[in-house]
Structure formats: structure tokens, C-alpha cells
């Protein structure tokens, strides 16, 4: 037993987090920044944060993740990090020459109170930022929110780059939230098929799922360009996918430049995808092509074909709020029972939303925002489930309790594929369903007696 | 960045490579980096020639981590029955959660907290009003849930800034519990310039709070401690296997697959064998001063190195029984090693490698590459000090700077009751006469060929440039470097986490490593970089069937 010390009895903890279901803000900001074309993320703090974030992102995406740091030592921590930041900006533009440096803070620079907007101004005034190059920044202290809010803050900073010209561009802004590069690619495929012109930001496709070709590009071809980000203020409207990841940026564009926005769920599963596509149709005033209707029908078909193996199955979920909300709805829509749900990201709205989505399920769910995986494991010990869906760290619970398990979310450190195969949209729904069925049926094949073991399922 | 060219070392002299690495930097940065790049003369210098253990340059993408990573991740991470509680925001604890592959065998007690991640998850109000109460409560909750024999507390950046007194909180909780040793590490990430500071802080506290806590005499003969072996990929398991076979009793490993009691009893050993000089040489020194345990540098990476180190240990004890057993074990193990080499070396001979890892590791692995007859054309450390490059004789000449001064040096004196010299003067003199060297380390430079490049704190830009210019057959570094190097078409082996491979230590580990390197440098995949139509572009546009 890997987690042999976890007791079944649940006691209240007020100070100790065990096996967190979240990590800190800056890594989210770093991931988001990689979705801008030609952008170098910069971590304003001591170099360890940057090293950890780069390592974690590299392990998940299996791709180079470049990011620089202000390399604080004790001196900078006492006297402030301005000198380090100014030196860094000069070195970065000289050596790497990015189009944008996307700076985020750490708990260190936040605690000593470094004022990033002021440092940026000084850098520009001192001529450290070459013509046509940009600095953007987000405040991401690690002692607030989670990696999800850090992502959201950096995306909001991207929205801050909008420079409306007064002439509409005929496009729809889509903010996909923290999803895989493959998901961003899939969203572009879907909008392309519908014929809606979009600006997708951030967009890590082509950045964090690049080819092996004998060339290394620190700034790969993918990513949302600066020109596109500037143009977001001229768009018809914004679709923000996910309240936690994307809504702040969308509301910022609305507030600053009167670009109207709708906040939708992330398009995982059948109904959330339906709403996303319907919203695109309405905004762009187009009709949905048959090819998409067919894709939808294929997903419905697979659900109906396999419903007998899904019906009533109990599921434990851990992950990020926007993803969990969509996944919960998807599972309930297939008559499955997500009964234990934990996110580490704070926000009471999450618990409320999950309760709404599961109210027809005929039983109470255990749901906690600001929870941890130790609690999730204890819930599972008290009421076992048929399936666990979550990030890599779930493998310890899955093995100990001998429960089928689907890897989904962040981080996934021990498998490949998530950066290449989408789980958004109808096609993504097919893939999610295939994975879920695969582990459930593998389990059935393993557990069935010889007489019950059958060729045809 | 341009495609890696076919240029080999023959076209690029080391001086040209060095200047190409520095070309693009702003002048001040270039001057600083120039001092950290040495064209090896393969001489033993009396004074440091290479600057090391200095700050990284803001904005220049470094391979380094932080003090906390060195303390919690490297040194304390591999201890299984200590609850390692991180006082800070959630990230620091999350990133150090199982990511260093600290393998362990939970043993008969089954006590193992390594798979857990403990944090106080500090929030804004803790930063504003102080986090001491929350820390005390978290320690209490960990104690109530698990009743561990020990709880270790780690400070992260904001804890140092807001001034939480983690040591007093820990001391109070220890007194309150009575049966649980609680202590703390001031290992804030910003202290020092690299992980190295964290090793030092960790070891000081281990020495202060753990070593010497249990005087009970452990059974077994030829008692040693193995210092600076962290059991990545099961290295420690293989070394333990060999020790057992030789009849050597390993009282404690600092800190691979370690337990609280191992540390507590370590002062009862008769010899300290030091693997990673960088991370732990000061513990060896302190144990010698306080308890009279001498130390020698060993290396169990490489089959020949393993044999040499075993002989060194046997020679120290000087008993025929041990010497004979060690020879017997070497004679049993080496045929397998030699058979593997005979098969593999024709495929690896004269291939070139670069290594930029750790603070001793690059040196250790050079032994394995030598056995494969591969040439190490450039190497360096991520967080080494001058003595790791040039040998301990430069120690008196290393100037202390502000970043080193803030790392505590313990004042150690002989223990009134427990200090005992392990060898008489006469025995020591005899060993000396036989050429036996205690506490000696010659550093990496002494083993590197003339004209090779030794580079401290290599950064991403220089790494790419080096690979582009010298096109090695293999590059070794860590996860952050892995994919950018591989995109250039050069296989990259992680020597921190071993790419989930290992063990590579000892005899079986050496064979395992030979096979792994054979696989990497001879993999077909590196030939797939270009599609057929990219290789023969002249055909494009014409129709073969016309």
C-alpha cells in the first residue's frame, strides 16, 4: 500500500494540507504565456520557482519550456527586485530577442512588494525595451488562488494588450482556458468548419506539441500573435470557456473596450459542446454544417451503444474547476454517478454548481473546493467507486484501492498523448468515452469468472 | 536557432567554441561567463581557475534550482519515516512531491511517508498576520494523524521574509509531544545561489538534530556510512547488495532509502565513504571532528570505480577476511561487466558526450563513459563549487562572498564521551605510507582531457550553441534541457532522474547503463529527422512517371 497511512476515519484538518489538488499561481501564468507567439515567460523571484515550473510543464507536455527568472538571492529579497528585473530585461532582449516578455510575480516578489507596473515603466523609460517589443505582467502570488487563477491572471494581461482601432475585424475572440494544445487545435478545427473567424488566446498548439525535425526553435511557429491580441478589442464578441480560467479576461475586454462576452463551460462532453457550438452559431449568424451534426451523432451513438456499461457507475473526480464542471455534467448525462469531487482551487461557486449539476442524480455528492486528495481518498475508502478520473497523482489511490482510473487534467507525468489528442468537442468526447470504457471493460474482463468471461461485449 | 551542423571538434578548437558561446552576451555578462568557462589544462591548480558557486545572471535561462530544492528535495526527500512538512504556499511542496524518484523499501515497520505531500498551504492572511499558529496546528494535525517518530519543517521564501520562527515552533511541539523529534530547516529559496546552499542547511540540521541520537551498537562487521548517495533509480539498492555480499555493514546512507534511526546511529560507524563530495563533504568533516570517524571519497558509478572503492574500504579495515571477500566479489561480478562491454563498446567507442549535472555527478558518470570508451568533450556542474572542479587543495583559496556567508557553519568539537579515534596513530601512519588518502578529492578537471571545456552553471543558450558547434553523440543534463537538445537531433539522457531508468551504480547498474547508452546513441530514431523528400529536394517538381 503506497498510501498505507491514510485512515478511513475522517478528522477535520484546519491547517494541514495533504496531497494537494492544486499548485501555485505562477505555473499557470507561465503556461498561458507560452500561448503567445514569440513570448518568453519570466518569473520575477528566486530561480527555484522558475525551475520547478519549467520542470513540471516539461514533464507534462514533453516539450521544451523556456522561461527566464530574476534570480533573486538574499540581496534582492532585502533591497527589492527592480535591479534584477531591469538587468533581466536587457539580457533577455539581447540574448533571446522575444517579441513579448510575459512577467509574473512569485510569493517572494509579492511579499517584498515589488511594483511590476512601475518597473515596466522604468524599463521602457530607460530604453531597455526595443521598438516593437512588449512587456506584459500579471500578479500571481502563490499564497492566493491556485495554478488556475494564475493562468486566468495572465490571460487577463493578454486581454490588456487590446488596442481597438475603431474598425471591427469581424472575428470572435475565443478564450479556451487551461486545456491541452491539442484541445486548442480542436477548437480551431471546429470554428474553421463552422466558418467563424476567430482569435484564440492563449493558443499553445504548435508551441507545446511540436515536431522533432533536427531544429530547435525557442519560439516555435504557434501561439497567438501580438497583432491578434491587439485586435481583440475590435472583435464582435468574446466566448470565454470556463468561469475560472477565462471569464476575467473576457470581462476585461467588455469593460475596457465594450466587446460583449458570454461565459460558457469548457466544451468537454456532449452538452457543453452543444452549448459552445450553438453559441458560435448565434454570434456568427451561420448555420451548423452537417459534418458537425454527424460528429455529434457519432458521440450520441457511442453513448447509446455502451450505456449498459456506464449506467450507475460511481466516479471520483479531482482536478480544476472548469474541467470538473464539464466532466460532471458529461458523466451525469450518461447516467453515471460522480459522487466524490474535489478541486484544490478555492471558490464556493464550484460546490454550488456541482450540486446543481448532480441534483437529479438521486443522491448527495461529496464535493469540496479547497480540498485535497487525502480527503478524496478518505471519501473513497468510506464509499468505494468504480472509476477515478484525475491527474497523475491519482495513480497512488487507484493502485491502493484497485480502482479503474483515467488520466485527465494537469499534470500527467507518466503517460503520453494528452498533448496530441483532444478531449474537447464531440471528437474529444469520443476519446474520453473510449478511455472510460476501456478501463471499465478491462476491469470487467479481469474480474469476471471464467464462465462469465465473454468474447462479445 | 540554426540546425545543428556536422561540424566536429576537429574544426572547432576549444578557444573558438568558448568565444562563440560568449559572442552574443552584453559585455558585462560576457565577462562574467568567461570566468565560468575553462579550457582544461588537465593540471592540478593550487588556486581556483574557474569561478563557481556564484549568482546566476537575471534573465539568462539557468539550469539551477533553489535552496529549498536542495534541502527538502535532495537531502530530506529520500527519508521515508520522517513527515516532511513544508511551511509555505502550496507550490513548493507540490513540485517536490515524488518528482525526484526517491525509491525506498518501506521495510518491516512499513512506515513510509514519501508518497505523501504535506504543506501548510499558506494564504494571504498567513503572510499578513504570520503563519506560526498555522504551522503549530499543522504539526499537531500531522502528529495526531500519523504519530511519526519525527517531523521536519521546511521554510519557503515568504516564511523567511515575514519572520516566522519555525525553529521555536518546532522546539515547542517537540517538547509537547515527547515522543516525536520535531526540527526545522531555514532553507528559503532565495538563500545562497543554488541547490548547494540547501544541501548545506539540510546537513547541518541533520547533524544537529538526528546524528548521534541512538548509541545502541548495531550488529555486523566493518561498519561504514555511505554519504551522498540518494538512491535515484535504485542505485542505493544495488550498492547495498554489493556491501552485503562483501560483508560490509552500512549503518546509514545519507540519505537514499534512509530512516530516522539510520541517521541517529550513524556515529557508531567506523568509516565514512563519501559519494557526492559537493552535497555532503562537510558532514564527513563534522563527524570526523566530533566522533573520530575518518572519511574517504568513493565512487560507485562505474564497474571499475566500484571495484576500486570496495578495495579502498577493505584496505582501510585492513583485515584479510574482508580483503579476500571483496576480491572474491569483484571476481564474481566483473565477468558479466566485461561481457557486456565486449559486446557494446564497438558501438560506442569514440562517440562523444557532454554532461552538465549536479555537483559531483558529472564526474562520477565520466567513469562509466570511459568504460564505454566514449569521449567526454565538455562537462560541468549545475551547482558545484571550485573544489569540485579543481580538488580540495584549492579550498583555502576560495573567497567567501555574501551569498556563502549567510549559510551557517556549525562549530564542531570532539564529543566528550563518544569521540574515539578509529585507528591508532601507528595504523594511520602505516596507511599513509602505503599511499592511502583520507579526505582527498581531486575534482573533475583532473580527470578531463586536455583541451576539453569545463563549464560551470551552463545555461540554455550556451547548451544549444555547444551542441550546434560540437555536435556530440549524447548530451546529459536534466528534464528542463531534455527536449530542446533532442529537437536538435541529439539524444539526451537525464542524469538527475535517469529518464525513469536505473540503477546505474555498482556492477549490475554499470551493465544497465552500458545498455541504455548503447540504445540511445545507436537508436534509429535520430535518422528519421528528415523526410525522404527533404533529403532529396532536387526531385521536387518533377514527375517520376512521366
Amino acid at each position: 500500500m503506497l498510501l498505507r497511512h491514510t485512515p478511513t476515519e475522517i478528522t477535520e484538518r484546519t491547517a494541514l494540507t495533504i496531497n494537494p489538488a492544486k499548485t501555485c499561481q505562477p505555473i499557470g501564468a507561465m503556461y498561458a504565456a507560452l500561448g503567445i507567439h514569440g513570448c518568453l515567460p519570466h518569473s520575477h523571484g528566486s530561480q527555484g520557482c522558475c525551475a520547478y515550473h519549467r520542470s513540471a510543464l516539461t514533464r507534462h507536455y514533453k516539450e521544451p519550456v523556456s522561461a527566464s527568472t530574476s534570480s533573486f538571492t538574499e540581496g534582492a529579497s532585502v533591497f527589492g527586485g527592480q535591479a534584477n528585473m531591469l538587468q533581466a530585461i536587457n539580457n533577455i532582449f539581447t540574448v533571446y530577442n522575444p517579441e513579448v516578455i510575459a512577467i509574473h510575480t512569485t510569493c517572494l516578489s509579492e511579499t517584498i512588494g515589488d511594483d511590476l507596473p512601475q518597473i515596466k515603466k522604468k524599463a521602457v523609460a530607460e530604453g531597455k525595451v526595443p521598438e516593437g517589443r512588449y512587456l506584459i505582467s500579471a500578479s500571481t502570488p502563490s499564497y492566493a488562488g491556485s495554478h488556475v487563477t494564475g493562468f486566468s491572471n495572465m490571460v487577463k494581461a493578454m486581454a490588456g494588450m487590446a488596442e481597438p482601432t475603431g474598425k471591427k475585424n469581424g472575428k470572435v475572440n475565443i478564450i479556451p482556458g487551461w486545456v491541452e494544445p491539442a484541445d486548442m487545435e480542436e477548437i480551431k478545427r471546429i470554428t474553421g468548419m463552422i466558418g467563424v473567424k476567430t482569435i484564440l488566446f492563449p493558443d499553445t498548439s504548435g508551441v507545446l506539441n511540436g515536431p522533432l525535425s533536427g531544429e530547435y526553435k525557442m519560439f516555435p511557429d504557434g501561439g497567438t500573435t501580438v497583432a491578434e491580441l491587439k485586435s481583440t478589442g475590435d472583435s464582435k464578441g468574446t466566448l470565454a470557456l470556463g468561469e475560472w480560467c477565462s471569464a476575467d479576461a473576457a470581462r476585461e475586454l467588455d469593460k475596457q473596450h465594450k466587446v460583449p462576452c458570454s461565459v460558457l463551460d469548457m466544451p468537454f462532453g456532449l452538452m457543453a459542446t452543444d452549448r459552445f457550438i450553438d453559441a458560435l452559431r448565434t454570434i456568427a449568424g451561420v448555420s451548423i454544417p452537417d459534418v458537425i451534426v454527424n460528429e455529434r451523432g457519432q458521440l450520441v451513438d457511442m453513448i447509446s451503444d455502451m450505456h449498459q456499461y456506464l449506467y450507475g457507475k460511481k466516479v471520483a473526480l479531482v482536478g480544476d474547476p472548469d474541467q470538473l464542471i464539464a466532466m460532471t455534467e458529461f458523466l451525469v448525462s450518461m447516467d453515471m454517478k460522480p459522487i466524490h469531487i474535489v478541486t484544490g482551487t478555492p471558490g464556493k461557486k464550484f460546490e454550488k454548481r456541482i450540486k446543481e449539476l448532480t441534483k437529479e442524480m438521486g443522491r448527495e455528492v461529496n464535493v469540496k473546493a479547497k480540498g485535497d486528495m487525502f480527503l478524496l481518498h478518505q471519501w473513497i475508502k468510506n464509499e468505494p467507486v468504480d472509476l477515478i478520473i484525475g491527474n497523475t497523482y491519482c495513480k497512488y489511490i487507484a493502485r491502493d484501492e484497485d480502482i479503474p482510473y483515467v488520466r485527465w487534467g494537469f499534470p500527467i507525468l507518466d503517460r503520453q498523448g494528452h498533448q496530441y489528442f483532444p478531449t474537447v468537442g464531440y471528437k474529444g468526447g469520443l476519446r474520453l468515452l473510449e478511455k472510460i470504457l476501456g478501463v471499465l471493460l478491462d476491469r470487467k474482463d479481469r474480474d469476471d469468472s471464467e464462465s462469465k468471461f465473454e468474447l462479445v461485449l | 536557432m540554426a540546425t545543428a551542423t556536422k561540424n566536429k571538434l576537429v574544426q572547432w578548437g576549444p578557444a573558438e567554441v568558448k568565444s562563440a558561446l560568449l559572442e552574443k552576451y552584453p559585455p558585462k555578462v560576457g565577462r562574467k561567463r568567461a570566468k565560468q568557462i575553462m579550457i582544461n589544462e588537465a593540471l592540478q591548480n593550487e588556486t581556483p581557475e574557474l569561478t563557481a558557486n556564484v549568482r546566476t545572471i537575471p534573465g539568462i535561462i539557468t539550469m539551477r534550482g533553489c535552496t529549498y530544492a536542495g534541502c527538502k528535495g535532495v537531502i530530506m526527500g529520500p527519508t521515508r519515516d520522517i513527515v516532511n512538512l513544508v511551511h509555505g504556499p502550496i507550490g513548493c511542496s507540490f513540485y517536490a512531491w515524488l518528482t525526484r524518484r526517491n525509491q525506498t523499501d518501506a521495510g518491516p515497520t512499513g512506515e513510509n511517508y514519501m508518497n505523501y505531500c504535506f504543506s501548510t498551504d499558506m494564504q494571504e492572511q498567513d503572510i499578513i498576520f504570520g503563519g506560526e499558529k498555522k504551522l503549530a496546528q499543522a504539526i499537531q494535525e500531522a502528529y495526531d494523524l500519523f504519530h511519526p517518530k519525527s517531523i521536519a519543517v521546511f521554510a519557503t521564501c515568504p516564511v523567511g521574509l515575514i519572520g516566522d520562527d519555525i525553529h521555536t515552533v518546532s522546539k515547542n511541539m517537540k517538547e509537547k509531544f515527547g515522543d516525536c523529534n520535531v526540527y526545522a530547516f531555514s532553507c528559503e529559496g532565495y538563500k545562497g545561489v543554488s541547490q548547494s546552499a540547501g544541501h548545506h542547511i539540510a546537513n547541518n540540521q541533520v547533524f544537529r538534530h538526528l546524528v548521534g541520537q541512538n548509541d545502541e551498537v548495531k550488529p555486523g562487521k566493518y561498519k561504514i556510512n555511505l554519504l551522498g548517495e540518494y538512491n535515484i533509480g535504485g542505485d542505493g539498492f544495488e550498492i547495498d547488495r554489493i556491501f552485503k555480499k562483501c560483508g560490509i555493514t552500512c549503518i546509514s546512507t545519507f540519505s537514499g532509502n534512509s530512516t530516522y534511526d539510520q541517521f541517529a546511529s550513524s556515529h557508531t560507524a567506523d568509516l565514512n565513504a563519501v559519494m557526492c563530495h559537493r552535497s555532503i563533504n562537510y558532514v564527513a568533516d563534522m563527524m570526523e571532528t566530533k566522533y573520530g570517524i575518518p572519511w574517504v571519497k568513493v565512487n560507485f558509478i562505474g564497474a571499475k570505480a566500484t571495484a576500486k572503492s570496495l578495495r579502498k574500504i577493505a584496505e582501510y579495515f585492513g583485515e584479510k577476511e574482508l580483503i579476500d571477500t571483496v576480491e572474491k566479489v569483484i571476481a564474481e561480478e566483473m565477468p558479466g561487466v566485461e561481457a557486456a562491454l565486449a559486446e557494446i563498446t564497438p558501438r560506442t567507442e569514440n562517440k562523444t558526450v557532454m554532461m552538465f549535472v549536479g555537483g559531483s555527478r558529472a564526474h562520477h558518470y565520466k567513469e562509466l563513459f570511459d568504460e564505454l570508451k566514449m569521449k567526454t568533450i565538455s562537462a560541468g556542474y549545475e551547482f558545484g563549487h571550485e573544489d569540485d572542479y579543481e580538488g580540495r587543495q584549492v579550498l583555502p583559496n576560495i573567497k567567501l562572498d555574501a551569498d556563502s556567508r549567510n549559510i551557517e557553519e556549525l562549530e564542531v568539537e570532539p564529543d566528550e564521551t563518544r569521540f574515539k579515534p578509529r585507528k591508532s596513530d601507528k595504523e594511520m601512519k602505516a596507511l599513509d605510507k602505503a599511499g592511502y588518502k583520507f579526505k582527498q578529492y581531486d575534482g573533475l578537471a583532473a580527470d578531463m582531457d586536455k583541451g576539453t571545456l569545463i563549464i560551470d552553471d551552463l545555461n540554455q543558450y550556451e547548451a544549444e550553441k555547444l551542441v550546434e558547434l560540437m555536435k556530440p553523440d549524447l548530451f546529459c543534463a536534466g528534464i528542463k534541457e531534455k527536449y530542446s537538445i533532442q529537437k536538435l537531433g541529439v539524444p539526451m539522457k537525464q542524469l538527475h532522474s535517469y529518464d525513469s531508468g536505473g540503477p546505474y551504480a555498482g556492477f549490475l547498474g554499470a551493465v544497465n547503463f552500458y545498455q541504455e547508452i548503447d540504445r540511445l546513441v545507436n537508436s534509429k530514431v535520430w535518422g528519421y529527422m528528415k523526410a525522404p523528400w527533404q533529403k532529396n529536394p532536387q526531385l521536387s517538381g518533377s514527375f517520376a512517371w512521366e
Side-chain angles (χ1 to χ4, degrees), chain B residues 49 96 99 120 138 148 155 184 214 218-219 232 322 379-380 428 433 439 445 540:
Chain B
E49 296 273 300
T99 49
T120 55
N214 184 357
K218 303 279 167 186
I232 306 298
L322 179 61
M428 291 298 270
K433 217 174 155 191
K439 49 195 304 176
S540 67

Side-chain angles (χ1 to χ4, degrees), chain A residues 386-403:
Chain A
D386 303 296
L387 174 69
I388 299 173
I389 301 177
N391 68 29
T392 281
Y393 287 99
C394 291
K395 77 192 274 184
Y396 288 80
I397 303 175
R399 179 176 149 133
D400 272 4
E401 307 299 332
D402 195 18
I403 297 170

Side-chain angles (χ1 to χ4, degrees), chain B residues 434-468:
Chain B
Y436 199 86
K437 303 278 185 217
F438 286 102
K439 49 195 304 176
Q440 190 193 25
Y441 180 53
D442 292 336
L444 170 69
D447 266 354
M448 290 285 286
D449 289 344
K450 193 167 191 273
T452 52
L453 283 162
I454 298 181
I455 308 176
D456 180 61
D457 185 21
L458 186 83
N459 59 55
Q460 179 169 317
Y461 170 73
E462 291 167 12
E464 282 158 42
K465 204 82 193 160
L466 259 187
V467 168
E468 196 188 308

